[in-house]
Amino acid sequence: MAILPCGSTWVAQWGQPQFVIRSSSSSKLPTSSQCVSRKIRALESPSSTLFSQHPLHILFRLAPSRGLHHRRGARLVVRADSDYYAILGVSKNASKSEIKSAYRKLARSCHPDVNKEPGAEQKFKEISNAYEVLSDDEKRSIYDTYGEAGLRGSGMGMGDFSNAFDLFESLFGGGGGMGGMGGRRSRSRAVDGEDLMYNLVLDFKEAVFGVEKEVEITRLETCNTCNGSGAKPGTSPSKCSMCRGQGQVVTSAQTPLGVFQQVMTCSSCGGTGETSTPCNTCGGDGRMRKSRRMRKSMRISLRVPSGVDSGSRLRVRGEGNSGKRGGAPGDLYVVIDVLADPVLKRDDTNILYSCKIPYIDAILGTMMKVPTVDGMVELKIPPGTQPGTTLVMARKGVPVLNKSKRRGDQLVKVQVEIPKRISVKERDLIEKLASLSKEAVSSGR
């Protein structure tokens, strides 16, 4: 923090720094332009360690002063948010090796996996932030000249707090340097494989009772040449020069609302943090596309449970694409599509069927064979069955999914056929039946 005496009242803002006036007297006196010019020249002089030699009006975007008021004994106070050198415990002319050594020592003692005291993680992030700025020549130069406000105003940012643990891992080898401490895994290591989708078509009865199917899938499997590393045999990967092994790059832009930062996957290494000579077999992906048949005789089989329907999904764990660099394989999702039956219709766990019977059978009753998923079954038509009556065949429907001992019903809708033409003999018999019916009605009265 630098404090300079000033005979004029200035309130200026550049980026984030704020200039505050402290005065021991509130009396307003006229001031001359010579006094203002003298203070500006003092601040922008070559001997000043507070600002560069750029014109102060340009550096702080100050408009020409008019009608300024004087406050006797006023002081111009420039506030700095943090002293990065003090945080790391080094001097301002410390070398890179001294800064790195100080960071390693402090990071080991303040890492949240070792230090369980409250505020340890925040302290660890502050240490990492200070090191990220002071270890970069360009950022350090701006910080030495303008402080934190200069980093904000230049659009470079002051270090990424979210990368504190990645910065630690880049120096200690992914946490292994902590002597077995359970550190966080680097983002540049294992990547899980993608899930796959497969459409399986079943006929009506296969969906009702379940089936074991033989299917063939095409998926990415680990390359045998490079063993999944993606690097040409005999070569070793190196740290990506674009992202410096972080797998991500941060871009900053100055906007009227402040500095806008965007974190993106590194386009050079694809987020791995490493670059290598690609394998000639897999082209650097570490995986090859292969076909695999899942047979009944193999240890891996696809068993479709009873009661599935169109749209049902089955999950086969570990049968998706292989992961990269030792990542877990994805899963295989099998989507069921059931073909319609020409006779039987399905309504959830019930099966619907319609049958037609002569009017004589509806009057007298009869036994008839009805198709079901279990085969032909006899159904009793009771006497006096009315058109549109629904008869229930218990437990002849679809098993409940994952509860095969429970089944729905088959619902049979009876349709009575009335003949449009009858013979003369049939007419005589029906007329006699009608006469008997009228006599029975009359006698009942």
Side-chain angles (χ1 to χ4, degrees), residues 72-149:
R72 183 175 301 170
R75 295 180 299 170
L76 176 64
V77 181
V78 182
R79 299 186 184 276
D81 294 335
S82 302
D83 186 347
Y84 291 160
Y85 293 100
I87 290 175
L88 295 181
V90 297
S91 62
K92 289 190 176 182
N93 56 359
S95 64
K96 273 193 171 182
S97 60
E98 291 175 334
I99 292 174
K100 183 175 181 179
S101 177
Y103 167 73
R104 290 172 65 94
K105 182 179 179 180
L106 292 171
R108 285 176 180 269
S109 61
C110 296
H111 196 286
D113 289 343
V114 173
N115 192 335
K116 303 300 182 181
E117 295 180 1
E121 183 169 353
Q122 181 61 30
K123 180 65 175 177
F124 176 75
K125 290 180 179 180
E126 291 176 0
I127 294 170
S128 300
N129 184 44
Y131 174 73
E132 186 173 350
V133 172
L134 298 183
S135 63
D136 187 287
D137 292 336
E138 186 177 0
K139 290 183 180 180
R140 183 178 180 181
S141 176
I142 295 176
Y143 174 75
D144 288 343
T145 306
Y146 307 118
E148 273 190 338

Coordinates of all heavy atoms in Angstrom, one line a residue, residues 72-149:
R72 N -7.3 20.3 2.9 CA -6.0 20.5 3.5 C -5.7 19.2 4.3 O -6.5 18.6 5.0 CB -6.1 21.6 4.5 CG -4.7 21.9 5.2 CD -4.8 23.1 6.0 NE -5.1 24.3 5.2 CZ -5.5 25.4 5.7 NH1 -5.5 25.6 7.0 NH2 -5.8 26.5 4.9
G73 N -4.5 18.7 4.1 CA -4.0 17.5 4.8 C -4.6 16.2 4.2 O -4.5 15.2 4.8
A74 N -5.1 16.2 3.0 CA -5.6 15.0 2.3 C -4.5 14.1 1.9 O -3.4 14.5 1.6 CB -6.5 15.4 1.1
R75 N -4.8 12.8 1.9 CA -3.9 11.8 1.4 C -4.5 10.8 0.4 O -5.7 10.5 0.6 CB -3.4 10.9 2.6 CG -2.6 11.7 3.7 CD -2.1 10.8 4.8 NE -3.3 10.2 5.5 CZ -3.2 9.2 6.4 NH1 -2.0 8.7 6.6 NH2 -4.3 8.8 7.0
L76 N -3.8 10.5 -0.6 CA -4.2 9.5 -1.7 C -3.8 8.1 -1.2 O -2.6 7.9 -1.1 CB -3.6 9.9 -3.0 CG -4.0 8.9 -4.2 CD1 -5.5 8.9 -4.4 CD2 -3.2 9.3 -5.4
V77 N -4.8 7.2 -1.0 CA -4.5 5.9 -0.5 C -4.8 4.9 -1.6 O -5.9 4.8 -2.1 CB -5.4 5.6 0.7 CG1 -5.0 4.2 1.2 CG2 -5.1 6.6 1.8
V78 N -3.8 4.1 -2.0 CA -4.0 3.0 -3.0 C -4.0 1.7 -2.3 O -3.0 1.3 -1.7 CB -2.9 3.1 -4.1 CG1 -3.2 2.0 -5.2 CG2 -2.8 4.5 -4.7
R79 N -5.1 1.0 -2.3 CA -5.3 -0.2 -1.6 C -4.9 -1.5 -2.4 O -5.5 -1.6 -3.5 CB -6.7 -0.4 -1.0 CG -7.1 0.8 -0.1 CD -8.4 0.5 0.6 NE -8.9 1.6 1.4 CZ -8.5 1.8 2.6 NH1 -7.7 0.9 3.2 NH2 -8.9 2.8 3.3
A80 N -4.1 -2.4 -1.9 CA -3.8 -3.6 -2.6 C -4.5 -4.8 -1.9 O -4.5 -4.8 -0.6 CB -2.3 -3.9 -2.7
D81 N -5.1 -5.7 -2.6 CA -5.9 -6.7 -2.0 C -5.0 -7.8 -1.3 O -5.3 -8.2 -0.2 CB -6.8 -7.5 -3.0 CG -7.9 -6.6 -3.6 OD1 -8.2 -5.6 -2.9 OD2 -8.3 -6.8 -4.7
S82 N -4.0 -8.2 -1.9 CA -3.1 -9.2 -1.3 C -1.7 -8.9 -1.7 O -1.4 -8.3 -2.7 CB -3.5 -10.6 -1.9 OG -4.8 -10.9 -1.6
D83 N -0.8 -9.4 -0.8 CA 0.7 -9.3 -1.1 C 1.1 -10.7 -1.4 O 1.3 -11.5 -0.4 CB 1.4 -8.7 0.1 CG 2.9 -8.5 -0.2 OD1 3.4 -9.0 -1.2 OD2 3.5 -7.8 0.6
Y84 N 1.3 -11.1 -2.6 CA 1.7 -12.4 -3.0 C 3.0 -12.9 -2.5 O 3.2 -14.0 -2.1 CB 1.6 -12.6 -4.5 CG 0.2 -12.5 -5.1 CD1 0.0 -12.2 -6.5 CD2 -0.9 -12.8 -4.3 CE1 -1.3 -12.2 -7.0 CE2 -2.2 -12.7 -4.8 CZ -2.3 -12.4 -6.2 OH -3.6 -12.3 -6.7
Y85 N 4.0 -11.9 -2.4 CA 5.3 -12.2 -1.9 C 5.2 -12.6 -0.4 O 5.9 -13.5 0.1 CB 6.2 -11.0 -2.1 CG 6.5 -10.8 -3.5 CD1 5.9 -9.8 -4.2 CD2 7.5 -11.5 -4.2 CE1 6.2 -9.5 -5.6 CE2 7.8 -11.3 -5.6 CZ 7.1 -10.3 -6.2 OH 7.4 -10.1 -7.6
A86 N 4.4 -11.8 0.4 CA 4.2 -12.1 1.8 C 3.5 -13.5 2.0 O 3.8 -14.2 2.9 CB 3.4 -11.0 2.5
I87 N 2.5 -13.8 1.1 CA 1.8 -15.1 1.2 C 2.8 -16.2 1.1 O 2.7 -17.2 1.9 CB 0.7 -15.2 0.2 CG1 -0.4 -14.2 0.5 CG2 0.1 -16.6 0.1 CD1 -1.5 -14.1 -0.5
L88 N 3.7 -16.1 0.2 CA 4.7 -17.2 0.0 C 5.9 -17.1 0.9 O 6.7 -18.0 0.9 CB 5.2 -17.3 -1.5 CG 4.1 -17.6 -2.5 CD1 4.7 -17.6 -3.9 CD2 3.5 -19.0 -2.2
G89 N 6.1 -15.9 1.5 CA 7.2 -15.7 2.4 C 8.5 -15.5 1.7 O 9.5 -16.0 2.2
V90 N 8.5 -14.8 0.6 CA 9.7 -14.6 -0.2 C 9.8 -13.1 -0.4 O 8.9 -12.3 -0.3 CB 9.7 -15.3 -1.5 CG1 9.7 -16.8 -1.3 CG2 8.5 -14.9 -2.4
S91 N 11.0 -12.7 -0.8 CA 11.3 -11.2 -1.1 C 10.8 -10.9 -2.5 O 10.6 -11.8 -3.3 CB 12.8 -10.9 -0.9 OG 13.5 -11.7 -1.9
K92 N 10.7 -9.6 -2.8 CA 10.3 -9.2 -4.1 C 11.2 -9.5 -5.2 O 10.8 -9.6 -6.4 CB 9.9 -7.7 -4.1 CG 8.7 -7.4 -3.3 CD 8.3 -5.9 -3.5 CE 6.9 -5.7 -2.8 NZ 6.5 -4.3 -3.0
N93 N 12.5 -9.7 -4.9 CA 13.5 -10.0 -5.9 C 13.9 -11.5 -5.9 O 14.9 -11.9 -6.3 CB 14.7 -9.2 -5.8 CG 15.3 -9.3 -4.4 OD1 14.8 -10.0 -3.5 ND2 16.4 -8.6 -4.2
A94 N 13.0 -12.3 -5.3 CA 13.2 -13.8 -5.2 C 13.2 -14.4 -6.6 O 12.5 -14.0 -7.5 CB 12.2 -14.4 -4.4
S95 N 14.1 -15.4 -6.8 CA 14.2 -16.1 -8.1 C 13.0 -17.1 -8.2 O 12.3 -17.4 -7.3 CB 15.5 -16.8 -8.2 OG 15.6 -17.9 -7.2
K96 N 12.9 -17.6 -9.5 CA 11.8 -18.6 -9.7 C 12.0 -19.9 -8.9 O 11.0 -20.5 -8.4 CB 11.8 -19.0 -11.2 CG 11.0 -18.1 -12.1 CD 10.8 -18.7 -13.4 CE 9.8 -17.9 -14.3 NZ 9.5 -18.5 -15.6
S97 N 13.2 -20.3 -8.7 CA 13.5 -21.5 -7.9 C 13.1 -21.3 -6.4 O 12.6 -22.2 -5.8 CB 14.9 -22.0 -8.0 OG 15.8 -20.9 -7.6
E98 N 13.4 -20.1 -5.9 CA 13.0 -19.8 -4.5 C 11.5 -19.7 -4.4 O 11.0 -20.2 -3.4 CB 13.7 -18.4 -4.1 CG 15.2 -18.5 -4.0 CD 15.8 -17.1 -3.7 OE1 15.1 -16.1 -4.1 OE2 16.9 -17.0 -3.2
I99 N 10.8 -19.2 -5.4 CA 9.4 -19.1 -5.3 C 8.8 -20.5 -5.4 O 7.8 -20.8 -4.6 CB 8.8 -18.2 -6.4 CG1 9.2 -16.8 -6.2 CG2 7.3 -18.3 -6.6 CD1 8.9 -15.8 -7.4
K100 N 9.3 -21.3 -6.2 CA 8.8 -22.7 -6.4 C 9.1 -23.5 -5.1 O 8.2 -24.2 -4.6 CB 9.5 -23.4 -7.5 CG 8.9 -24.8 -7.8 CD 9.6 -25.4 -9.1 CE 9.0 -26.7 -9.4 NZ 9.6 -27.3 -10.6
S101 N 10.2 -23.3 -4.5 CA 10.6 -24.0 -3.3 C 9.6 -23.6 -2.1 O 9.2 -24.5 -1.4 CB 12.0 -23.8 -2.9 OG 12.3 -24.4 -1.7
A102 N 9.4 -22.3 -2.0 CA 8.5 -21.8 -1.0 C 7.1 -22.3 -1.2 O 6.4 -22.7 -0.2 CB 8.5 -20.3 -1.0
Y103 N 6.6 -22.4 -2.4 CA 5.3 -22.9 -2.7 C 5.1 -24.4 -2.3 O 4.2 -24.8 -1.7 CB 4.9 -22.7 -4.2 CG 3.7 -23.5 -4.6 CD1 2.4 -23.1 -4.2 CD2 3.8 -24.6 -5.3 CE1 1.3 -23.8 -4.5 CE2 2.7 -25.4 -5.7 CZ 1.4 -25.0 -5.3 OH 0.3 -25.7 -5.6
R104 N 6.1 -25.2 -2.7 CA 6.1 -26.6 -2.4 C 6.0 -26.8 -0.9 O 5.3 -27.7 -0.4 CB 7.3 -27.3 -3.0 CG 7.3 -27.4 -4.5 CD 8.6 -27.9 -5.0 NE 8.8 -29.3 -4.6 CZ 8.5 -30.4 -5.3 NH1 8.0 -30.2 -6.5 NH2 8.7 -31.6 -4.9
K105 N 6.8 -26.1 -0.2 CA 6.8 -26.2 1.3 C 5.5 -25.9 1.9 O 4.9 -26.6 2.7 CB 7.9 -25.4 1.9 CG 8.1 -25.5 3.4 CD 9.2 -24.7 3.9 CE 9.4 -24.8 5.4 NZ 10.5 -24.0 5.9
L106 N 4.9 -24.7 1.5 CA 3.6 -24.3 2.0 C 2.5 -25.2 1.6 O 1.6 -25.5 2.3 CB 3.4 -22.8 1.6 CG 4.3 -21.8 2.3 CD1 4.0 -20.4 1.6 CD2 4.0 -21.7 3.8
A107 N 2.5 -25.6 0.3 CA 1.4 -26.4 -0.2 C 1.3 -27.8 0.5 O 0.2 -28.3 0.7 CB 1.6 -26.6 -1.7
R108 N 2.5 -28.3 0.8 CA 2.5 -29.6 1.6 C 1.8 -29.5 2.9 O 1.0 -30.4 3.3 CB 3.9 -30.1 1.7 CG 4.5 -30.7 0.5 CD 6.0 -31.1 0.8 NE 6.6 -31.7 -0.4 CZ 6.6 -32.9 -0.7 NH1 6.0 -33.8 0.1 NH2 7.3 -33.4 -1.8
S109 N 2.1 -28.4 3.6 CA 1.6 -28.2 5.0 C 0.1 -27.8 5.0 O -0.6 -28.0 6.0 CB 2.5 -27.3 5.7 OG 2.4 -26.0 5.1
C110 N -0.3 -27.1 3.9 CA -1.7 -26.5 3.9 C -2.7 -27.3 3.1 O -3.8 -26.9 3.0 CB -1.7 -25.1 3.4 SG -0.7 -24.0 4.5
H111 N -2.2 -28.4 2.5 CA -3.1 -29.2 1.6 C -4.3 -29.7 2.5 O -4.1 -30.3 3.6 CB -2.4 -30.3 1.0 CG -3.1 -31.0 -0.2 ND1 -4.2 -31.8 0.0 CD2 -3.0 -30.9 -1.5 CE1 -4.7 -32.2 -1.2 NE2 -3.9 -31.6 -2.1
P112 N -5.6 -29.6 2.1 CA -6.7 -30.0 2.9 C -6.7 -31.5 3.3 O -7.3 -31.9 4.3 CB -7.9 -29.7 2.0 CG -7.4 -28.6 1.1 CD -6.0 -28.9 0.8
D113 N -6.0 -32.3 2.5 CA -6.0 -33.7 2.8 C -5.0 -34.0 4.0 O -5.0 -35.1 4.6 CB -5.5 -34.6 1.6 CG -6.6 -34.6 0.6 OD1 -7.8 -34.3 0.9 OD2 -6.3 -34.9 -0.6
V114 N -4.1 -33.0 4.3 CA -3.2 -33.2 5.4 C -3.6 -32.3 6.6 O -3.6 -32.7 7.7 CB -1.8 -32.9 5.0 CG1 -0.8 -32.9 6.2 CG2 -1.3 -33.9 3.9
N115 N -3.9 -31.1 6.3 CA -4.3 -30.1 7.3 C -5.8 -30.0 7.4 O -6.5 -29.6 6.5 CB -3.7 -28.7 6.9 CG -3.8 -27.7 8.0 OD1 -4.6 -27.8 8.9 ND2 -2.9 -26.7 7.9
K116 N -6.3 -30.4 8.5 CA -7.8 -30.5 8.8 C -8.3 -29.2 9.5 O -9.5 -29.2 9.9 CB -8.1 -31.7 9.6 CG -7.7 -33.0 8.9 CD -8.3 -33.2 7.5 CE -7.9 -34.5 6.9 NZ -8.5 -34.7 5.6
E117 N -7.4 -28.2 9.7 CA -7.9 -27.1 10.4 C -8.9 -26.2 9.6 O -8.8 -26.2 8.3 CB -6.7 -26.2 10.8 CG -5.7 -26.8 11.8 CD -4.6 -25.9 12.1 OE1 -4.5 -24.8 11.6 OE2 -3.7 -26.4 12.9
P118 N -9.8 -25.5 10.2 CA -10.7 -24.7 9.4 C -9.9 -23.6 8.6 O -9.0 -23.0 9.2 CB -11.6 -24.0 10.5 CG -11.5 -24.9 11.7 CD -10.1 -25.5 11.6
G119 N -10.3 -23.4 7.4 CA -9.7 -22.4 6.6 C -8.4 -22.9 5.9 O -7.8 -22.1 5.2
A120 N -8.1 -24.1 6.1 CA -6.9 -24.7 5.4 C -7.0 -24.7 3.9 O -6.1 -24.3 3.2 CB -6.6 -26.1 5.9
E121 N -8.2 -25.0 3.4 CA -8.4 -25.1 2.0 C -8.3 -23.7 1.3 O -7.7 -23.6 0.3 CB -9.7 -25.8 1.6 CG -10.0 -25.9 0.1 CD -11.2 -26.8 -0.2 OE1 -11.8 -27.4 0.8 OE2 -11.5 -26.9 -1.3
Q122 N -8.9 -22.7 2.0 CA -8.8 -21.4 1.5 C -7.4 -20.9 1.5 O -7.0 -20.2 0.5 CB -9.7 -20.4 2.3 CG -9.7 -19.0 1.8 CD -10.3 -18.9 0.4 OE1 -11.1 -19.7 0.0 NE2 -9.8 -17.9 -0.3
K123 N -6.6 -21.2 2.5 CA -5.2 -20.8 2.6 C -4.5 -21.5 1.5 O -3.6 -20.9 0.8 CB -4.7 -21.2 3.9 CG -3.2 -20.9 4.1 CD -2.9 -19.4 4.1 CE -1.5 -19.1 4.4 NZ -1.2 -17.6 4.3
F124 N -4.8 -22.8 1.2 CA -4.1 -23.5 0.1 C -4.4 -22.9 -1.2 O -3.5 -22.8 -2.1 CB -4.6 -25.0 0.1 CG -4.1 -25.8 -1.0 CD1 -2.8 -26.3 -0.9 CD2 -4.9 -26.1 -2.0 CE1 -2.3 -27.1 -2.0 CE2 -4.4 -26.9 -3.1 CZ -3.1 -27.4 -3.0
K125 N -5.6 -22.4 -1.5 CA -5.9 -21.8 -2.7 C -5.2 -20.4 -2.9 O -4.8 -20.1 -4.0 CB -7.5 -21.6 -2.8 CG -8.2 -22.8 -3.0 CD -9.7 -22.6 -3.1 CE -10.5 -23.9 -3.3 NZ -12.0 -23.7 -3.4
E126 N -5.1 -19.7 -1.8 CA -4.4 -18.4 -1.8 C -2.9 -18.6 -2.2 O -2.3 -17.9 -2.9 CB -4.5 -17.7 -0.5 CG -5.9 -17.2 -0.2 CD -6.0 -16.5 1.2 OE1 -5.0 -16.5 1.9 OE2 -7.1 -16.1 1.6
I127 N -2.3 -19.7 -1.6 CA -0.9 -20.0 -1.8 C -0.8 -20.4 -3.3 O 0.2 -19.9 -4.0 CB -0.4 -21.1 -0.9 CG1 -0.4 -20.7 0.5 CG2 0.9 -21.6 -1.4 CD1 -0.2 -21.8 1.5
S128 N -1.7 -21.2 -3.8 CA -1.6 -21.6 -5.2 C -1.8 -20.4 -6.2 O -1.2 -20.3 -7.2 CB -2.6 -22.7 -5.5 OG -2.4 -23.8 -4.7
N129 N -2.7 -19.5 -5.8 CA -3.0 -18.4 -6.6 C -1.7 -17.5 -6.7 O -1.3 -17.0 -7.7 CB -4.2 -17.6 -6.0 CG -4.5 -16.4 -6.9 OD1 -4.6 -16.5 -8.1 ND2 -4.8 -15.3 -6.3
A130 N -1.1 -17.2 -5.5 CA 0.1 -16.4 -5.5 C 1.2 -17.0 -6.3 O 1.9 -16.4 -7.1 CB 0.6 -16.2 -4.0
Y131 N 1.4 -18.4 -6.2 CA 2.4 -19.0 -7.0 C 2.2 -19.0 -8.5 O 3.1 -18.8 -9.3 CB 2.6 -20.5 -6.6 CG 3.5 -21.3 -7.4 CD1 4.9 -21.1 -7.3 CD2 3.1 -22.2 -8.3 CE1 5.8 -21.8 -8.1 CE2 3.9 -22.9 -9.1 CZ 5.3 -22.7 -9.0 OH 6.2 -23.4 -9.8
E132 N 0.9 -19.1 -8.9 CA 0.6 -19.1 -10.3 C 0.9 -17.7 -10.9 O 1.3 -17.7 -12.1 CB -0.9 -19.4 -10.5 CG -1.3 -19.5 -12.0 CD -2.7 -20.0 -12.2 OE1 -3.3 -20.4 -11.2 OE2 -3.2 -20.0 -13.3
V133 N 0.7 -16.7 -10.2 CA 1.0 -15.3 -10.7 C 2.5 -15.1 -10.7 O 3.1 -14.6 -11.7 CB 0.3 -14.2 -9.9 CG1 0.8 -12.9 -10.3 CG2 -1.2 -14.4 -10.1
L134 N 3.2 -15.4 -9.6 CA 4.6 -15.1 -9.5 C 5.5 -16.0 -10.3 O 6.7 -15.7 -10.6 CB 5.1 -15.1 -8.0 CG 4.4 -14.1 -7.1 CD1 4.9 -14.2 -5.7 CD2 4.5 -12.7 -7.6
S135 N 5.0 -17.2 -10.6 CA 5.8 -18.1 -11.5 C 5.7 -17.8 -12.9 O 6.5 -18.4 -13.7 CB 5.4 -19.5 -11.2 OG 4.0 -19.7 -11.6
D136 N 4.8 -16.9 -13.3 CA 4.7 -16.5 -14.7 C 5.3 -15.1 -14.9 O 4.9 -14.1 -14.2 CB 3.2 -16.4 -15.1 CG 3.0 -16.2 -16.6 OD1 3.2 -15.0 -17.0 OD2 2.6 -17.1 -17.3
D137 N 6.3 -15.0 -15.8 CA 7.1 -13.8 -15.9 C 6.2 -12.6 -16.3 O 6.3 -11.5 -15.7 CB 8.2 -13.9 -17.0 CG 9.3 -14.9 -16.5 OD1 9.4 -15.1 -15.2 OD2 9.9 -15.5 -17.3
E138 N 5.3 -12.8 -17.2 CA 4.4 -11.7 -17.7 C 3.5 -11.2 -16.6 O 3.3 -10.0 -16.3 CB 3.6 -12.1 -18.9 CG 2.8 -11.0 -19.6 CD 2.1 -11.5 -20.8 OE1 2.3 -12.6 -21.2 OE2 1.5 -10.6 -21.4
K139 N 2.8 -12.2 -15.9 CA 1.9 -11.8 -14.8 C 2.6 -11.2 -13.7 O 2.2 -10.2 -13.1 CB 1.1 -13.1 -14.3 CG 0.1 -13.6 -15.3 CD -0.6 -14.8 -14.7 CE -1.6 -15.4 -15.7 NZ -2.4 -16.5 -15.1
R140 N 3.8 -11.7 -13.4 CA 4.6 -11.1 -12.3 C 5.0 -9.7 -12.6 O 5.0 -8.8 -11.7 CB 5.8 -12.0 -12.0 CG 6.7 -11.5 -10.8 CD 7.8 -12.4 -10.6 NE 8.7 -12.0 -9.5 CZ 9.8 -12.6 -9.0 NH1 10.2 -13.7 -9.7 NH2 10.4 -12.1 -8.0
S141 N 5.4 -9.4 -13.8 CA 5.8 -8.1 -14.2 C 4.6 -7.1 -14.0 O 4.8 -6.0 -13.5 CB 6.3 -8.0 -15.6 OG 6.6 -6.7 -16.1
I142 N 3.4 -7.5 -14.5 CA 2.2 -6.6 -14.3 C 1.9 -6.5 -12.9 O 1.5 -5.4 -12.4 CB 1.0 -7.2 -15.1 CG1 1.3 -7.2 -16.6 CG2 -0.2 -6.5 -14.8 CD1 0.3 -7.9 -17.4
Y143 N 2.0 -7.6 -12.1 CA 1.7 -7.5 -10.6 C 2.6 -6.5 -9.9 O 2.2 -5.7 -9.1 CB 1.7 -8.9 -10.0 CG 1.5 -8.8 -8.5 CD1 0.2 -8.6 -8.0 CD2 2.6 -9.0 -7.7 CE1 0.1 -8.6 -6.6 CE2 2.4 -9.0 -6.3 CZ 1.1 -8.8 -5.8 OH 1.0 -8.8 -4.4
D144 N 3.9 -6.6 -10.3 CA 4.9 -5.8 -9.6 C 4.7 -4.3 -9.9 O 5.0 -3.5 -9.1 CB 6.3 -6.2 -10.1 CG 6.8 -7.5 -9.5 OD1 6.1 -8.0 -8.5 OD2 7.7 -8.1 -10.0
T145 N 4.2 -4.0 -11.1 CA 4.0 -2.7 -11.5 C 2.6 -2.1 -11.0 O 2.6 -1.0 -10.5 CB 4.0 -2.5 -13.0 OG1 5.2 -3.1 -13.5 CG2 4.0 -1.1 -13.5
Y146 N 1.6 -2.9 -11.2 CA 0.2 -2.3 -10.9 C -0.5 -3.0 -9.8 O -1.6 -2.6 -9.4 CB -0.6 -2.4 -12.2 CG 0.0 -1.8 -13.4 CD1 0.3 -2.5 -14.5 CD2 0.3 -0.4 -13.4 CE1 0.9 -1.9 -15.6 CE2 0.9 0.2 -14.5 CZ 1.2 -0.6 -15.6 OH 1.7 0.0 -16.7
G147 N 0.0 -4.2 -9.3 CA -0.7 -4.9 -8.3 C -1.8 -5.8 -8.9 O -1.9 -6.0 -10.1
E148 N -2.7 -6.3 -8.1 CA -3.8 -7.2 -8.5 C -4.7 -6.4 -9.5 O -5.2 -7.1 -10.5 CB -4.7 -7.6 -7.3 CG -4.1 -8.9 -6.7 CD -5.1 -9.4 -5.7 OE1 -6.0 -8.7 -5.2 OE2 -5.1 -10.6 -5.4
A149 N -4.9 -5.1 -9.3 CA -5.7 -4.4 -10.2 C -5.2 -4.4 -11.6 O -6.0 -4.4 -12.6 CB -5.9 -2.9 -9.7

